[in-house]
Amino acid sequence: MKYLEAINAALEGYIAACDVPKVMREAMAYSVFAGGKRLRPRMCLSAAELAGGSMEDAMPIACALEMIHTYSLIHDDLPCMDDDDFRRGRPSNHKVYGEANALLAGDGLLSLAFETILREGQERLRTAPRYYEAALEVARGAGVSGMVAGQWADLANEENPAADADALAYIHRRKTGALITAAMVSGAVAGNADAKLIDALRCYGEHYGILFQITDDILDVVGDAKTVGKTLGKDAAQNKLTYPALYGLEEARRMAEKEAELAIAALLPFGEKAAWFTELAQAALTRTY
Amino acid sequence: MKYLEAINAALEGYIAACDVPKVMREAMAYSVFAGGKRLRPRMCLSAAELAGGSMEDAMPIACALEMIHTYSLIHDDLPCMDDDDFRRGRPSNHKVYGEANALLAGDGLLSLAFETILREGQERLRTAPRYYEAALEVARGAGVSGMVAGQWADLANEENPAADADALAYIHRRKTGALITAAMVSGAVAGNADAKLIDALRCYGEHYGILFQITDDILDVVGDAKTVGKTLGKDAAQNKLTYPALYGLEEARRMAEKEAELAIAALLPFGEKAAWFTELAQAALTRTY
């Protein structure tokens, strides 16, 4: 997969460089190297490349996105949150290292994301003059107006379910969509894209984020033979607000198709250079059948 | 108190500007405005001023330090960590908002710290050209090689107590010392201090950090009439590794005096301009009698 080896090597380097107790490094690495597909960093680097920037300049930001994504999964799995014993077919972080250490591993990864961004920034300013502006996009997507607000709203909705389209859209635009959109925009800005390209990549990110969530919701209902150990139907069993639950399976699939179309259309003006993004949206769609 | 009003006003502004669900803003504000003395931001702003910089340039960094300190208290109080029902005489965050929301309020404050730093950075570069270098000091102090590592080591030591001076020094140099030192150095760098002044302020920070921890440990033993609601002797009861437990009360007091002396001595070359820091170290010492 595009960039995968380079991303994994960079993540290994950033985590190896930490001056931490051995078991803490292991706990962070356990979840960072748990078979994730590196979707967000790959989107970030691809957006930077499409803008004419270099992979090297965007790499700290790309890896920060993955660290932030990973911390959110560790905290999300904790007993006081979703209480999930498994993640990607392996025991979740707190089942292996205990709750307190999992909490700290998450805190550590979130901190390391910004430490990495800041440490690697100065030397990149010559070729990526808008590096810190790109980093701000990551912070916004990850933060209290983005992913954290989405998590919060998701929890609130479980306590007081409001089965309506507005609540669903609010939660997912933030919980998964904000960081995915941030991956696109941060890559574009790090690659010094012009306003037109930034807007197009942001538009792709927003539609891909919804597409991603709808297909994820559908897979929870219909199962996914490719995802070993996925706890089938857990969200449905918990009466969570999902796209299939609110709209029905067929309508949810139709909505996913529409989002894929809109995402792909946003990058049409950039032709072959955007081929990777077109394939990514099509691949997300085919997971649901 | 020096800078207190300006810091509180800035913190209010940063939190008010978040686009978050109302109860989430309340949960963050509950702990940020819980009567903290703003020690770290005041140290940061004072260091910037001593270096000839402006309060305005260092303010986002100062407030980020307070947000990070607050998130660490919220997470530290959680049932899976220290399981404290009270903080500064009021119910701790999770007792009011529930565990999941407290976890997210902590995640939110840590994210907001770096979002604030990055959002406020660009416009400050003209007068504070080393602003991002200052921000990196905060990230290092807060992160996996600093405060988080200290928390981790503290937990590990509770499980497998090693009542020795090395373990105690390792834990406290990181758990409380790293962020206090980061406050000093980040302020100095934001204020564009030269290497000699940065070293002196770092030296003060390191000694003050130990002084702070020793006096905190002593207060847990002898009590502190001024701190309403403090759970007396909790650490001692839990058989935690503390300075009085390891060295005895009198020797701990002597050590605190020595650290105060060293902190004050570090800033002697800067005369009257460093008076605030001298008083701060003396005030920490007098808390213990």
Side-chain angles (χ1 to χ4, degrees):
Chain A
M1 271 192 290
K2 195 175 183 182
Y3 296 129
L4 191 65
E5 281 180 29
I7 292 164
N8 284 335
L11 282 169
E12 272 180 27
Y14 294 143
I15 290 175
C18 297
D19 175 26
V20 289
K22 186 164 162 278
V23 66
M24 182 172 177
R25 190 197 317 279
E26 285 171 11
M28 294 194 298
Y30 177 82
S31 290
V32 170
F33 300 102
K37 296 180 292 295
R38 314 301 187 207
L39 172 66
R40 292 153 194 81
R42 283 160 62 222
M43 292 178 98
C44 174
L45 296 180
S46 300
E49 191 185 57
L50 178 52
S54 76
M55 182 182 80
E56 286 71 22
D57 281 344
M59 188 59 90
I61 290 170
C63 288
L65 285 158
E66 189 68 11
M67 292 176 197
I68 289 167
H69 173 59
T70 306
Y71 113 77
S72 79
L73 300 182
I74 295 173
H75 281 187
D76 210 33
D77 287 342
L78 284 170
C80 71
M81 299 282 288
D82 281 359
D83 194 13
D84 272 319
D85 291 352
F86 289 91
R87 168 70 63 181
R88 291 169 181 154
R90 302 198 310 166
S92 45
N93 198 290
H94 66 273
K95 297 304 285 186
V96 179
Y97 296 97
E99 278 182 58
N101 288 339
L103 174 66
L104 288 174
D107 291 347
L109 283 169
L110 176 54
S111 304
L112 186 61
F114 290 105
E115 184 177 341
T116 301
I117 280 176
L118 289 164
R119 193 187 57 232
E120 303 289 321
Q122 291 305 116
E123 65 189 66
R124 283 174 167 81
L125 285 182
R126 201 178 48 79
T127 44
R130 292 162 70 198
Y131 178 92
Y132 290 111
E133 196 187 319
L136 174 57
E137 295 292 335
V138 175
R140 282 204 174 113
V144 290
S145 309
M147 187 177 72
V148 175
Q151 293 270 35
W152 193 290
D154 196 20
L155 277 176
N157 196 74
E158 276 177 57
E159 281 166 30
N160 295 298
D164 66 54
D166 284 350
L168 186 67
Y170 180 94
I171 290 167
H172 291 309
R173 203 161 52 233
R174 284 167 179 76
K175 189 175 173 178
T176 49
L179 200 62
I180 284 174
T181 303
M184 297 295 291
V185 179
S186 65
V189 174
N192 219 15
D194 62 20
K196 194 180 144 210
L197 180 53
I198 291 175
D199 283 348
L201 288 167
R202 183 194 307 278
C203 183
Y204 177 96
E206 288 171 356
H207 289 296
Y208 186 90
I210 303 171
L211 166 64
F212 182 87
Q213 189 60 50
I214 299 175
T215 57
D216 215 52
D217 283 356
I218 291 175
L219 287 174
D220 270 338
V221 177
V222 303
D224 178 5
K226 286 167 282 183
T227 312
V228 181
K230 196 165 171 74
T231 44
L232 294 182
K234 186 164 184 300
D235 284 351
Q238 286 178 340
N239 216 6
K240 260 200 172 176
L241 186 56
T242 69
Y243 284 89
L246 188 61
Y247 296 101
L249 192 58
E250 284 319 302
E251 177 63 9
R253 277 185 173 139
R254 205 199 55 74
M255 291 169 77
E257 278 166 28
K258 186 72 190 165
E259 295 299 329
E261 271 171 38
L262 291 169
I264 291 166
L267 296 182
L268 266 186
F270 305 96
E272 262 310 296
K273 289 203 305 183
W276 184 82
F277 289 105
T278 305
E279 286 162 27
L280 188 72
Q282 285 163 345
L285 209 54
T286 55
R287 286 167 73 213
T288 68
Y289 288 97
Chain B
M1 270 192 293
K2 196 175 183 182
Y3 296 129
L4 190 65
E5 282 180 30
I7 292 164
N8 284 335
L11 282 169
E12 272 180 29
Y14 294 143
I15 289 175
C18 298
D19 175 24
V20 288
K22 185 163 163 280
V23 67
M24 182 172 179
R25 190 197 317 278
E26 284 171 11
M28 294 194 299
Y30 177 81
S31 290
V32 170
F33 300 102
K37 295 179 292 296
R38 312 303 186 206
L39 172 67
R40 291 153 195 81
R42 283 158 63 220
M43 291 177 97
C44 173
L45 297 179
S46 299
E49 190 185 58
L50 178 51
S54 77
M55 180 181 82
E56 287 72 21
D57 282 343
M59 187 59 89
I61 290 170
C63 287
L65 286 158
E66 189 68 12
M67 293 175 196
I68 289 167
H69 172 59
T70 306
Y71 112 78
S72 79
L73 300 181
I74 295 174
H75 281 189
D76 209 33
D77 287 342
L78 284 171
C80 71
M81 298 282 288
D82 280 359
D83 194 14
D84 271 319
D85 291 352
F86 289 91
R87 167 70 63 180
R88 290 170 181 152
R90 300 198 312 166
S92 46
N93 198 290
H94 66 274
K95 296 304 285 184
V96 179
Y97 295 97
E99 277 182 59
N101 288 339
L103 175 66
L104 287 174
D107 291 347
L109 283 170
L110 176 53
S111 305
L112 186 62
F114 290 106
E115 185 177 341
T116 302
I117 280 176
L118 289 164
R119 193 186 58 233
E120 303 289 320
Q122 291 305 116
E123 65 190 65
R124 284 174 166 81
L125 285 181
R126 200 177 49 78
T127 44
R130 293 164 68 198
Y131 177 91
Y132 290 110
E133 195 187 320
L136 174 58
E137 295 292 334
V138 175
R140 283 205 173 113
V144 290
S145 309
M147 187 177 72
V148 176
Q151 292 271 34
W152 192 290
D154 197 19
L155 278 176
N157 195 74
E158 276 177 57
E159 282 166 28
N160 295 299
D164 65 55
D166 284 350
L168 185 67
Y170 180 95
I171 291 167
H172 291 310
R173 201 161 53 233
R174 283 166 180 77
K175 189 175 172 177
T176 48
L179 199 62
I180 284 174
T181 304
M184 297 295 292
V185 179
S186 65
V189 174
N192 220 15
D194 63 19
K196 192 180 145 209
L197 179 54
I198 291 175
D199 284 348
L201 289 167
R202 185 194 307 278
C203 183
Y204 178 95
E206 288 172 355
H207 289 295
Y208 185 89
I210 303 171
L211 166 65
F212 182 88
Q213 189 60 51
I214 299 174
T215 56
D216 216 52
D217 283 356
I218 291 175
L219 287 174
D220 270 338
V221 177
V222 304
D224 178 4
K226 286 168 282 182
T227 312
V228 182
K230 194 164 173 72
T231 45
L232 293 181
K234 185 164 184 303
D235 285 350
Q238 285 178 339
N239 216 5
K240 261 199 171 177
L241 186 56
T242 68
Y243 285 89
L246 188 60
Y247 297 101
L249 191 58
E250 284 319 302
E251 175 64 9
R253 277 185 172 139
R254 204 201 53 77
M255 291 169 76
E257 278 165 29
K258 184 74 190 162
E259 295 299 330
E261 272 171 36
L262 290 169
I264 291 166
L267 296 182
L268 266 187
F270 305 95
E272 261 309 296
K273 288 203 305 185
W276 184 81
F277 290 106
T278 304
E279 286 163 27
L280 188 71
Q282 285 164 342
L285 209 55
T286 54
R287 286 168 73 212
T288 69
Y289 288 96

